[in-house]
Amino acid sequence: MDLTETKTEHKPKSFEATLEVAAENADAVVVHGWICGRTRWVLHAWCEIGDHVVDLTETRSPVPKADYYEAKGAAETRTIKYSRLEFFTLVAEHGHFGPFDKEFFFAETASRDPLKKNAWKEALN
């Protein structure tokens, strides 16, 4: 699998896919994050189990976390992580699979680095 082929469109199914992984793996951590597409930052979700990532929108096989983060342009500072209990509680409270933090994840895509000041204003234009 070539992880360098980052999809540039938001994948709502990635949030749903984390449910399967979290339900089947006691050690799973659900991650919502910004990844860098070819021309835009894209909102995405995946699970981490130890030092591996499971992203069912890419493959059913675990991928080394370092490789995934490098290929996707992901960074710890651009993610919010949830334990299984936190994730299932938030799903029950919100009635969806995420994202839950609408301030951090203000849009499905962003043309500038989403952590830069006022990036959300550009997303609205």
Side-chain angles (χ1 to χ4, degrees), residues 17 19 26 28 34-35 39 52 61 67 80 82 91 100 105 122-123:
L19 178 67
W34 289 103
I35 58 174
T39 60
H52 287 83
S61 300
D67 295 348
I80 297 179
Y82 305 97
V91 168
F100 305 116
F105 301 113
E122 284 188 11

Side-chain angles (χ1 to χ4, degrees), residues 22-41:
E24 294 178 0
N25 296 278
D27 297 327
V29 174
V30 176
V31 183
H32 295 170
W34 289 103
I35 58 174
C36 188
R38 291 185 189 116
T39 60
R40 304 180 69 74
W41 290 89

Side-chain angles (χ1 to χ4, degrees), residues 82-104:
Y82 305 97
S83 70
R84 290 176 72 223
L85 180 59
E86 290 172 318
F87 175 68
F88 291 132
T89 300
L90 289 167
V91 168
E93 288 175 0
H94 292 268
H96 60 80
F97 303 107
F100 305 116
D101 186 330
K102 296 296 186 177
E103 188 173 322
F104 192 75

Side-chain angles (χ1 to χ4, degrees), residues 62-76:
V63 176
K65 181 178 170 181
D67 295 348
Y68 184 89
Y69 273 58
E70 182 179 347
K72 299 298 185 184
E76 296 288 338

